[in-house]
Amino acid sequence: MTSTGSGAGGLPRRTGSASARARLRLSRPSRRTTAGNPARPAPVELVTAPRGAACAPFPGAGPTPDVDTAEHTRGSLFDVVRVSIAMLDTAGRVALWSPAAEELLGWPSEVLVGRRIEELVVDERLVPDTRAAFATALRTGSWKGLTELRHQDGGRVPVEARISLLVDGDGTPFLLVALAEADSLQAVERDLAVRDALFEQSPLGIAVLDTELRYTAVNQTLAEMNGVAAEDHVGRTTGETLPERAADEITVIQRQVLATGEPVIDVTLASPLTARSGYRSMSYSRLTDRGGRVLGISGTVMDVTDRYRAVAKVEHARRRLALLNEFGSRAGDLLDASRIAQELASAVVPRLADFASVILLQAVAHGDDLPRHAHDRRTSLLQLGVAATEDGEEVEVMLRRGARITFADESCYGRVLRTGVPELLSGAVELEDATYPGDPKVRAALELGAHSMLVVPLRARGIVIGLLVLSRAGRREAFDRDDLAFSVELADRAGSSLDNARLYARERTAALTLQRTLLPQQVPQPTGVEVAYRYVPGSSGTEVGGDWFDVIPLPGDRTALVVGDVMGHGLRAAATMGRLRTAVRVLAALDLPPDVLLRHVHELADDLAQGPDEALLATCVYAVYDPATARLVVAKAGHIPPVLVVPPLAGPARGGSPLPGGEGRVLDLPSGAPLGVGGVPFEAVELVIPEGSVLALCTDGLVESRDKDLDVGLGRLQSVLEKPYLSIQHACEAVLDTMEQGREPDDVALLLARLGRGEEGARTVGWTLPAEPAAVSRARRLVRGALQEWAVDDLTDVAELLVSELVTNSVRYASAPIGVRLTLGDTLLVEISDPLPDPPRERHAAAADEGGRGLELVRSLALRWGARAEGMGKVVWFEQELGG
């Protein structure tokens, strides 16, 4: 053998293996060694208890008398490190050569038996060392060391050799040589050294358990974690080592891993020791040998208290951020202070508090200006947002929505309102200082178990506009400074939303006031038309719009019905609506046809726009009804079409009488372009209307919805109006009651008109005259005769004179027949029609002029006069007041 060996005879001792074995023995059952005796395991006393008892042996877990030895050794460590045996006599000659040695070195036994083993030494210079090793073994009983032997194929095989002295029964000595591959053995020793280093120096707790789930080894880290010495773990189960509650959870995991073989990774459990509170991450996996035999399980335990708390802190912050985002998304598009207050209260219960109250200044709730003086007990506060985790009489007393809040100047509420500094109250004594002594709301809170309260200011523009009051009750932990800081941030966000709602409410109130002043203050009830109307402002989620309606009396007992919608919202839209309505009324006074009137309004679009950089965009429908002829002329500019309902039996209808219902239809009209757009001519349609029909004009807010076509809304309006009602006012209410719930929150203008005949008792007569000079005298005679028949002789002279002048103008300029019509009602209406479309123009005649004074006479003697287009021609009319 080589000089790298060691022995009791003073030869150099090989290092490394013994230290590795020493490390391997740490935290294992104690062993005692005596001279000449191998080490034996020390007895371990096991404590048996119902809890944590060892598992039944796992099938195939260890050798028993019934286990096949071949099966037991298959895949063992001997397959990793091949060990061979040879028997030598005292001279070093081979007496026995094992098959394992033959496999290791390739030499068959029949070749080597009887020969000296030193012949296998590669380097002849080492032969003396080999003989010295034999001598040492004979003298001391053993020797071990490293050498290189020659393989049969000529290669070198590094081996570790162990020589032991054996003596048979006759006293004959033999040398037993055990040979092992040095490379494989060193790899195993290196792995063991790494294992020992990891086992003892690892910051993780490490445990090895057998198939009965009893500890066979633990490192010092785990022993310190469990508060039990390492040697006290060995032979015991987890249930016998740790407190019951924690041990039960761990034992369930261990049994699952042992039974299934599925590893469990990073399971976080609370620390089993109350003295070292925290959290542990545990991982377990099943141990098997190279043959697949189950040996037990191994586990690692890591103290993750800091990580768990950091994760918990991050999760806590995430939940807080989610709460802020959720409230922002829920309240961000709200413009109603009461709804924002309720959303705020609902958002914090139960995630932040058990009870929540949002208290606002009355000025904020009503959209008024913020007070500029300091708050005191006279400040009017309203409780507009409430939320609680439970119901009951005490909760109703404590959190009644809409209740007025009273407080003393030196109370917590008073201080927070005055200074804007939040306060944290703890205990009954401090809570009683919240408002004023004896406050029933505070008493109710204490009866509910409230023990901690936050009073946080709601601020906007540096002014406290209200309070956010949060309370915790029962066993819930009290508020801390982190809760206070978060509540302040939440209250600041809510304060901005509440102030926006206040500003919006103020602007909306101003716009509504302006719009209502610009809408008709008194709607007339013209002859032959019964009118009902409704105007509904947009909901609080949007600004006031530019919808309007109008009823305009025209000469000849005719009536103009108008509904329009200015695009946009707010004060500017309302102001534009007022200008547009005024323009329509002025042009209507000129008695223009509907299409002509819309064209003139469109031409004024630039002057009616909200500003030089914003074009006017509006829709409008304009209808003129003549009860004398039952004719309706309608034109529209991009507006939704009217709906006409014809009764089953046409007949006279008195004002206020029931509506019989009937068959409805949407009028098919040329759409026309919206005012301000242009490019599409406006066209009028003339209809003959059966008496008692109902005409419905409205804006798109009544019939439009987000998810349905406009035709659906018009169809719904038509079906509602087809039903009978007690009056036209009831029909108006019925239409509003059936508005689509999902409609756009826009303004609604609705105008219903029941179209009838002229004034009851009114008399009408008319003639058609040829366009010749004799027509003038004939017209005078006919007028005189009719007025005498109607017993209004006092009107005859003026009527004859004015008819004579107007017929003369028609005879002079027109070549077709001339129409004359008299209508006697509240006034005498005289109408002269001819096919000439050009209206007459009044001019001032000079003193020497023989003509040109006809229209001057009409203007001077008539109550009022005018001209309008009708068909292809025109009508010039004047009225005379009865009784002169």
Side-chain angles (χ1 to χ4, degrees), residues 782-844:
L782 293 172
V783 169
R784 183 186 309 113
L787 296 181
Q788 289 175 351
E789 183 181 347
W790 292 344
V792 285
D793 296 341
D794 54 332
L795 303 180
T796 303
D797 294 339
V798 174
E800 281 190 42
L801 176 60
L802 300 185
V803 167
S804 177
E805 292 293 334
L806 294 178
V807 172
T808 299
N809 285 341
S810 296
V811 169
R812 177 177 299 178
Y813 300 108
S815 57
I818 301 167
V820 179
R821 186 172 71 170
L822 304 182
T823 301
L824 182 63
D826 293 336
T827 62
L828 174 63
L829 173 64
V830 180
E831 297 172 295
I832 310 298
S833 61
D834 61 53
L836 189 67
D838 298 329
R841 289 176 295 176
E842 183 182 356
R843 65 185 180 88
H844 298 284

Side-chain angles (χ1 to χ4, degrees), residues 1 91-92 94 115-124 126-128 130-131 134 149-150:
M1 301 299 171
V94 178
R115 299 175 61 180
R116 294 182 179 272
I117 197 172
E118 61 189 35
E119 296 178 12
L120 300 181
V121 176
V122 175
D123 191 348
E124 295 182 357
L126 297 179
V127 171
T130 303
R131 295 173 180 173
F134 293 156
L149 300 180
R150 186 172 61 252

Side-chain angles (χ1 to χ4, degrees), residues 519-520 523 531 533 547-554 559-565 580-585 587-588 594 597-598 601 619-625 633-635 639 675 695-699 749-753:
L519 287 172
V523 175
V531 175
Y533 59 91
D547 295 11
W548 97 95
F549 66 92
D550 214 341
V551 178
I552 308 172
L554 298 177
T559 303
L561 305 171
V562 192
V563 170
D565 184 5
L580 186 59
R581 174 174 175 262
T582 301
V584 171
R585 289 187 69 89
L587 292 172
L597 181 141
L598 292 177
V601 174
T619 63
C620 181
V621 57
Y622 185 87
V624 175
Y625 177 67
V633 183
V634 191
H639 202 81
L675 300 174
L695 180 68
L697 308 178
C698 64
T699 53
L750 172 64
L751 181 62
L752 298 184

Side-chain angles (χ1 to χ4, degrees), residues 76-310:
S76 68
L77 189 60
F78 285 100
D79 293 329
V80 179
V81 181
R82 292 185 294 174
V83 179
S84 57
I85 301 297
M87 189 76 72
L88 309 179
D89 60 16
T90 56
R93 288 186 294 268
V94 178
L96 177 64
W97 189 253
S98 68
E102 183 178 339
E103 181 181 354
L104 177 65
L105 297 175
W107 297 98
S109 59
E110 57 269 20
V111 174
L112 288 182
V113 172
R115 299 175 61 180
R116 294 182 179 272
I117 197 172
E118 61 189 35
E119 296 178 12
L120 300 181
V121 176
V122 175
D123 191 348
E124 295 182 357
R125 292 174 296 178
L126 297 179
V127 171
D129 294 336
T130 303
R131 295 173 180 173
F134 293 156
T136 300
L138 290 172
R139 186 176 65 252
T140 63
S142 64
W143 181 93
K144 58 184 176 181
L146 294 174
T147 189
E148 284 186 334
L149 300 180
R150 186 172 61 252
H151 196 275
Q152 186 183 22
D153 59 9
R156 296 185 175 190
V157 180
V159 296
E160 180 173 330
R162 291 178 179 263
I163 306 175
S164 303
L165 176 64
L166 300 179
V167 180
D168 64 8
D170 298 332
T172 305
F174 292 94
L175 295 177
L176 178 65
V177 180
L179 301 175
E181 286 181 299
D183 293 340
S184 299
L185 190 61
Q186 288 175 356
V188 170
E189 289 190 346
R190 183 170 56 251
D191 291 344
L192 291 174
V194 171
R195 180 263 188 197
D196 289 344
L198 290 176
F199 196 81
E200 291 304 324
Q201 300 174 17
S202 172
L204 305 180
I206 302 175
V208 179
L209 298 91
D210 60 17
T211 55
E212 294 183 352
L213 297 182
R214 297 185 182 277
Y215 290 106
T216 60
V218 297
N219 67 351
Q220 189 61 31
T221 304
L222 182 59
E224 293 176 355
M225 285 184 179
N226 291 342
V228 179
E231 56 271 16
D232 292 337
H233 282 77
V234 176
R236 297 181 179 180
T237 64
T238 303
E240 296 169 338
T241 310
L242 299 178
E244 179 178 359
R245 189 169 186 177
D248 290 344
E249 292 181 303
I250 298 173
T251 302
V252 169
I253 297 174
Q254 293 173 346
R255 287 174 175 168
Q256 174 186 340
V257 173
L258 183 65
T260 64
E262 293 291 333
V264 173
I265 308 297
D266 195 19
V267 175
T268 302
L269 300 175
S271 175
L273 301 180
T274 56
R276 295 187 58 181
S277 62
Y279 299 89
R280 296 182 180 181
S281 170
M282 300 185 180
S283 301
Y284 287 96
S285 59
R286 192 164 72 180
L287 296 176
T288 57
D289 62 13
R290 296 175 61 84
R293 186 169 55 93
V294 177
L295 303 177
I297 62 173
S298 66
T300 58
V301 181
M302 180 170 57
D303 190 334
V304 293
T305 302
D306 293 339
R307 185 186 76 178
Y308 186 87
R309 289 174 178 170

